[in-house]
C-alpha cells in the first residue's frame, strides 16, 4: 500500500496495480500487451498520444522507472515488432533481491523532493554534517544511525555528549567519517 501512495503518476499506479495482480500467479513472469491494451490499461483516450514512440517515452518508460525505484518488483519492457511497426510490448517482472528491496524501502521512507534526481543518478551527494546544536530528534539520518547501533540513549544527551567527544578529540563535525564515528560512539554508549 505504501508503494501506491508514493508513485508519482496515475500511469505508474495503474501499471503497478495490474502487474501486482499478476505477480502471485504461478509460472507467469511476463505478459504481452497489444498497443490498444496498453492504451486501455493507462486510460489514454483515443486520439491522444498517437505514436508508440510518444507512448513509450512519456508514459511507459516513466511508469516503469517509477515502479522500479519504489516497489518490490523490477519491471522490463520489450517492444514486439512486425517489420518496423511495434504491435505490442512484453512486460516482465521479477522480485528484487534483498539489497534492492532495502533501497526501495529507504526510498519510500525518504522525501519525494529529490526522487527524480536520485532515479536519474543526478542527485548531488551532500556530505554529512553533525548538527551544531540541539537534539537529533528531528534529524532522521542521525536517528537511523543511532537506531542501527542499538543505542537507546536520550537524543539530546547523545548529541551533546558526541559533540563534546568531537571537541575533545579535535574532530570536525563534517569529517569524512563522521557517520561511522557517530555509529561507533552510539554502540559504545549503548553498551554502558
Amino acid at each position: 500500500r505504501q508503494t501506491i501512495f508514493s508513485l508519482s503518476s496515475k500511469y505508474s499506479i495503474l501499471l503497478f496495480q495490474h502487474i501486482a495482480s499478476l505477480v502471485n500467479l504461478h509460472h507467469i513472469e511476463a505478459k504481452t500487451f497489444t498497443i490498444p491494451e496498453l492504451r486501455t490499461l493507462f486510460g489514454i483516450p483515443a486520439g491522444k498520444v498517437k505514436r508508440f514512440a510518444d507512448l513509450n517515452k512519456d508514459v511507459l518508460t516513466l511508469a516503469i522507472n517509477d515502479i522500479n525505484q519504489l516497489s518490490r518488483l523490477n519491471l522490463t519492457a520489450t517492444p514486439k515488432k512486425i517489420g518496423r511497426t511495434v504491435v505490442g510490448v512484453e512486460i516482465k517482472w521479477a522480485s528484487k533481491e534483498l539489497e534492492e528491496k532495502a533501497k526501495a524501502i529507504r526510498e519510500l521512507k525518504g522525501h519525494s523532493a529529490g526522487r527524480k534526481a536520485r532515479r536519474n543518478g543526478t542527485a548531488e551527494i551532500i556530505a554529512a554534517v553533525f548538527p551544531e546544536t540541539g537534539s537529533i530528534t528531528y534529524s532522521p539520518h542521525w536517528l537511523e544511525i543511532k537506531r542501527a547501533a542499538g543505542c537507546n540513549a536520550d537524543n539530546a544527551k547523545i548529541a551533546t555528549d558526541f559533540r563534546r567527544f568531537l571537541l575533545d578529540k579535535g574532530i570536525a563535525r563534517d569529517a569524512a567519517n563522521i557517520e561511522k564515528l557517530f555509529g561507533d560512539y552510539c554502540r559504545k554508549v549503548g553498551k554502558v
Side-chain angles (χ1 to χ4, degrees):
R1 186 182 315 166
Q2 185 67 28
T3 302
I4 291 288
F5 293 135
S6 299
L7 293 172
S8 64
S9 73
K10 70 176 186 178
Y11 303 127
S12 303
I13 293 168
L14 292 169
L15 181 61
F16 180 74
Q17 287 178 325
H18 188 75
I19 297 299
S21 71
L22 300 174
V23 165
N24 293 328
L25 297 176
H26 298 291
H27 309 295
I28 298 176
E29 296 173 349
K31 181 174 180 180
T32 302
F33 296 90
T34 64
I35 301 304
E37 286 174 338
L38 269 181
R39 291 175 167 286
T40 302
L41 174 70
F42 289 127
I44 299 172
K48 300 284 184 182
V49 193
K50 294 178 183 178
R51 296 179 29 212
F52 174 75
D54 296 330
L55 177 70
N56 187 34
K57 179 179 67 107
D58 297 334
V59 178
L60 185 60
T61 302
L62 295 177
I64 287 176
N65 289 343
D66 201 19
I67 292 167
N68 287 347
Q69 184 180 23
L70 297 172
S71 77
R72 68 186 190 281
L73 302 173
N74 269 331
L75 303 182
T76 56
T78 308
K80 298 295 178 185
K81 295 182 175 184
I82 294 179
R84 291 176 46 187
T85 305
V86 177
V87 294
V89 176
E90 181 183 43
I91 298 179
K92 293 182 182 180
W93 57 86
S95 289
K96 290 182 177 176
E97 297 296 323
L98 196 56
E99 279 184 26
E100 290 178 313
K101 280 183 185 178
K103 280 183 185 178
I105 290 168
R106 193 168 43 252
E107 189 63 45
L108 282 172
K109 290 180 180 178
H111 198 282
S112 63
R115 202 165 275 157
K116 183 178 178 184
R118 289 190 297 273
R119 181 182 313 127
N120 297 336
T122 59
E124 190 177 310
I125 297 172
I126 300 170
V129 179
F130 195 78
E132 185 176 5
T133 60
S135 173
I136 59 168
T137 300
Y138 302 107
S139 301
H141 177 71
W142 298 105
L143 280 175
E144 184 59 36
I145 293 172
K146 179 185 158 212
R147 283 189 197 115
C151 181
N152 292 327
D154 178 69
N155 293 333
K157 181 172 179 1
I158 192 99
T160 302
D161 292 347
F162 184 64
R163 278 190 288 272
R164 188 175 308 120
F165 166 79
L166 292 176
L167 187 63
D168 291 346
K169 299 288 185 183
I171 300 170
R173 291 180 303 103
D174 62 349
N177 62 341
I178 193 72
E179 293 163 319
K180 182 182 181 320
L181 285 171
F182 183 63
D184 292 344
Y185 185 82
C186 288
R187 272 187 281 287
K188 185 178 115 183
V189 169
K191 290 181 181 177
V192 174

